[in-house]
Amino acid sequence: MLREGLAEEFPFAARALGSIPRRFLVSREDPRWAAVSAFGVAWLVAAAGNAVATPARAAGFRETALWIAAGFLIAGAALGIAVAIRAGGRRGVLWYAVGLAANAVFVLVAELPFYVQSCAQLSGAQDCSPLRLVLPQIYILAGVPLSIAAARVVISGPTGTNPILAAGGAVVLSQTVLFGLWRLTATPTGDPIANLGISLGFVASGMLAAGAIIRRRATGSRPLITFAIIATTLWLSGQWPLVWGILNGAYVVSGVLVLYPILIGPVEIAALFLGWMLLLPGADDRGGLVQVGSSVEPDEEDPAPSG
């Protein structure tokens, strides 16, 4: 009765609230692509958490910002599992688990020499707890029980593709692999210009992969524009304190590395569109991003590969 009365009193608000989706629909796809999409949604949620935590971090509440970011990391892990099972079924979850395990081992192997060397050189100047090496995996494990609830929010729809989620997965996977290889093979340099180029190169490589994946998995340019808007929003919401500080003179530009927060956004967008232009679209790809719906029931069977 109260709900109907409020709806009559505020019809515009009632329509706005009614338009908010209660569930997110993901297209069923090949289990391997479902695993990539799962990486993508986990990365997008974690990046959103960093953006939400930025005001607290800028205000000096660093502990609060850490807790906010950690909460989003756990939520992203839970949603990743949910997307894997709804988009790829049991095999999608299996591929995602294999990917998470391989990613954890690769990152540990790449980080361990640097961790040991830096802790030996700096001794007590930084956190050398072994927990630092396995903290990302702890967040993932914490998200496992929450994935049961997340699976009720994410439901599976018709067979198709999830190009924006796949693009997010391409970003995180390509950057992880390149960064690990750089850790294992490259010699650190003190040249600020070289360090700036390397940092921007990691960003550009991920967005190049994202653009190519969107071109391969989507039929039009709408997912590309949507992903560009998401990337720009995440950049501005995460870097605005530094960008604003540089623009208004609060931060003195003492070297090229200070320009990184300003350059990262344009480099991301340019690389995204370049990756999209370098690859021809796939003839058998269909569908768009994450569709929204509230009436489609999930299909519990393993989806057939869609090519």
Side-chain angles (χ1 to χ4, degrees):
M1 184 68 68
L2 179 62
R3 182 178 179 181
E4 287 77 4
L6 290 174
E8 293 178 1
E9 187 71 21
F10 306 101
F12 294 103
R15 285 195 293 269
L17 291 174
S19 65
I20 298 176
R22 293 186 296 273
R23 292 184 177 184
F24 294 97
L25 188 89
V26 294
S27 298
R28 289 175 292 173
E29 56 187 350
D30 182 276
R32 292 162 294 186
W33 279 111
V36 176
S37 297
F39 275 104
V41 72
W43 173 75
L44 287 170
V45 173
N50 180 65
V52 172
T54 297
R57 191 181 299 114
F61 301 104
R62 296 188 177 275
E63 290 293 330
T64 302
L66 289 174
W67 281 106
I68 293 174
F72 274 83
L73 285 169
I74 294 172
L79 285 172
I81 297 172
V83 167
I85 193 170
R86 293 309 190 197
R90 291 184 294 271
R91 288 179 292 170
V93 177
L94 178 60
W95 275 104
Y96 186 46
V98 170
L100 286 174
N103 181 75
V105 172
F106 179 74
V107 171
L108 181 62
V109 171
E111 283 289 336
L112 192 57
F114 175 80
Y115 167 81
V116 172
Q117 180 182 6
S118 61
C119 286
Q121 292 176 348
L122 302 177
S123 59
Q126 66 175 8
D127 179 19
C128 288
S129 170
L131 182 65
R132 197 185 74 181
L133 289 173
V134 297
L135 195 57
Q137 282 65 52
I138 293 177
Y139 291 140
I140 293 173
L141 293 176
V144 171
L146 296 179
S147 64
I148 299 174
R152 299 178 64 87
V153 177
V154 181
I155 58 176
S156 55
T159 300
T161 62
N162 302 293
I164 289 188
L165 297 185
V171 171
V172 65
L173 291 174
S174 60
Q175 289 184 356
T176 299
V177 171
L178 288 177
F179 182 75
L181 293 175
W182 176 75
R183 283 282 203 198
L184 292 172
T185 59
T187 302
T189 176
D191 185 355
I193 297 180
N195 287 327
L196 178 63
I198 291 171
S199 300
L200 292 176
F202 288 136
V203 171
S205 65
M207 285 298 172
L208 275 170
I213 289 297
I214 291 175
R215 188 65 181 265
R216 180 67 181 87
R217 301 290 288 168
T219 56
S221 60
R222 181 177 296 179
L224 175 73
I225 302 301
T226 303
F227 196 83
I229 294 173
I230 292 173
T232 303
T233 302
L234 292 175
W235 165 58
L236 291 175
S237 57
Q239 302 291 345
W240 65 263
L242 289 174
V243 174
W244 178 249
I246 292 173
L247 293 178
N248 66 12
Y251 292 99
V252 178
V253 181
S254 57
V256 293
L257 286 178
V258 182
L259 298 176
Y260 178 76
I262 295 180
L263 295 177
I264 185 174
V267 168
E268 284 182 337
I269 301 305
L272 176 68
F273 279 88
L274 180 61
W276 185 78
M277 291 186 294
L278 290 178
L279 188 67
L280 294 176
D284 60 339
D285 290 334
R286 298 176 301 166
L289 166 64
V290 177
Q291 304 171 46
V292 176
S294 58
S295 60
V296 180
E297 294 300 322
D299 185 351
E300 297 296 338
E301 298 180 358
D302 288 343
S306 59

